Amino acid sequence: MSPDTVSLCPPSTAPASAAALRALIESRRAMRRFTDEPVPDEVLRDCLELAVLAPNSCNLQPWSFQVIRQPALLERLHTVCMGQHAAKAPVLIAVLARPDTWREACAQILRDWPEAEVPAPVRHFYRKTAPFQYNQGPLGLLGWLKRQLIRLVGWRRALMRSPNSHAQMRTWAVKSTALAAQNLMLAVQSHGYASCPLEGFDEVRLRQVLDIPRQAVPVMLLAVGRAHERGIYNPRLRFALEQQVTWL
Ligand SMILES: Cc1cc2nc3c(=O)[nH]c(=O)nc-3n(C[C@H](O)[C@H](O)[C@H](O)COP(=O)(O)O)c2cc1C
């Protein structure tokens, strides 16, 4: 369903970057203790720039980030995270999925298109196709109608079955946002800092501390800082690939 029609592939740098990427991914661990050393804003900015290069659904970029550095706010968030050690970091980044921003994103893509003319298929996609796909209507009624229509048409041909409800819109946005979060963690790692993704927080209290739009979904809080020497609690454990992968 992607409107991307132009292929602008950078030249391959495969052999060197495969080893570098493996080393980077292997070095990332969930860090549960950080030193007090602050993380420079330039580093955070660079990491966020890489986060938003993540692949995302229809390029609608359904995410937003809140970078928390103020000590008073960090203190309150530590409580929101139920006093977890990992949440005692010099920086917390609230990673939010935004099922509510697709309409403005469609308009912005057409406004900011990086060529003199917006190609006709792209214009059609963001004016017609995407609004049909993502608009669920008041109380999700349009979504319900689309689900009935899809049930009928789907007998005859393959169709995208979701997102056709507000709940499915949240899943839709969370998928892309989780990819951005992973980019963010690897970027942090590449700068010599460490991170810990946190879903162990009280969402009601989180919304009392941070100004989070009502429809936004807090996917995780990302603790960022310089690794403490006793910050990794356990040796790495992963299940055997054979157990998790099917080759067809
Ligand atoms: C969505 C998500 C939520 C997580 N929440 C927490 C958390 O609340 N507290 C915590 O200490 N670790 C949390 N973690 C970290 C995981 O426990 C950790 O990634 C996992 O044990 C694997 O360890 P590794 O990242 O060092 O390989 C979370 C990870 C993810 C992806």
Side-chain angles (χ1 to χ4, degrees):
M1 275 295 179
S2 165
D4 298 344
T5 50
V6 189
S7 169
L8 296 169
C9 292
S12 171
T13 50
S17 57
L21 183 63
R22 169 171 276 274
L24 183 69
I25 290 176
E26 284 183 346
S27 69
R28 186 216 56 81
R29 294 295 316 275
M31 188 59 56
R32 269 54 180 257
R33 277 176 203 265
F34 300 92
T35 70
D36 293 336
E37 186 185 323
V39 185
D41 280 358
E42 311 81 71
V43 168
L44 294 170
R45 189 171 178 69
D46 187 69
C47 295
L48 287 158
E49 280 176 11
L50 295 176
V52 300
L53 289 184
N56 63 91
S57 179
C58 294
N59 208 17
L60 291 171
Q61 304 164 59
W63 48 50
S64 64
F65 306 86
Q66 295 189 14
V67 182
I68 300 112
R69 297 152 302 165
Q70 295 171 17
L73 273 181
L74 288 170
E75 196 62 47
R76 291 178 70 194
L77 288 176
H78 185 229
T79 310
V80 167
C81 294
M82 298 158 302
Q84 287 196 68
H85 252 299
K88 215 166 176 45
V91 180
L92 288 175
I93 301 179
V95 180
L96 308 175
R98 301 300 303 270
D100 55 325
T101 54
W102 62 267
R103 200 187 297 273
E104 173 52 27
C106 283
Q108 189 172 353
I109 284 176
L110 295 177
R111 268 200 319 274
D112 295 356
W113 190 256
E115 292 170 312
E117 280 237 354
V118 181
V122 173
R123 204 172 327 117
H124 183 268
F125 182 86
Y126 289 109
R127 282 210 182 131
K128 302 274 187 238
T129 314
F132 178 76
Q133 255 176 239
Y134 300 120
N135 188 6
Q136 311 307 333
L139 300 172
L141 281 175
L142 188 56
W144 182 86
L145 263 178
K146 285 192 290 180
R147 289 203 301 280
Q148 311 317 312
L149 190 67
I150 281 168
R151 244 184 228 154
L152 284 178
V153 184
W155 276 104
R156 296 193 163 271
R157 62 182 175 95
L159 282 177
M160 252 183 91
R161 310 263 171 169
S162 69
N164 283 314
S165 68
H166 289 308
Q168 288 174 355
M169 281 302 287
R170 287 193 285 278
T171 304
W172 169 80
V174 167
K175 284 188 217 172
S176 295
T177 306
L179 296 178
Q182 177 66 358
N183 267 20
L184 188 51
M185 284 183 263
L186 291 179
V188 163
Q189 196 69 22
S190 77
H191 276 280
Y193 293 87
S195 65
C196 186
L198 298 164
E199 64 185 350
F201 55 79
D202 178 330
E203 188 176 329
V204 172
R205 286 185 165 78
L206 182 73
R207 288 177 185 276
Q208 288 163 357
V209 174
L210 298 179
D211 188 15
I212 295 177
R214 194 173 52 81
Q215 292 181 60
V217 183
V219 175
M220 63 184 80
L221 288 173
L222 195 65
V224 178
R226 192 72 83 181
H228 188 282
E229 57 186 8
R230 284 180 286 113
I232 296 175
Y233 285 179
N234 302 302
R236 168 115 65 204
L237 166 66
R238 287 297 189 270
F239 304 131
L241 219 51
E242 291 66 35
Q243 193 181 325
Q244 300 173 321
V245 181
T246 309
W247 303 80
L248 303 171

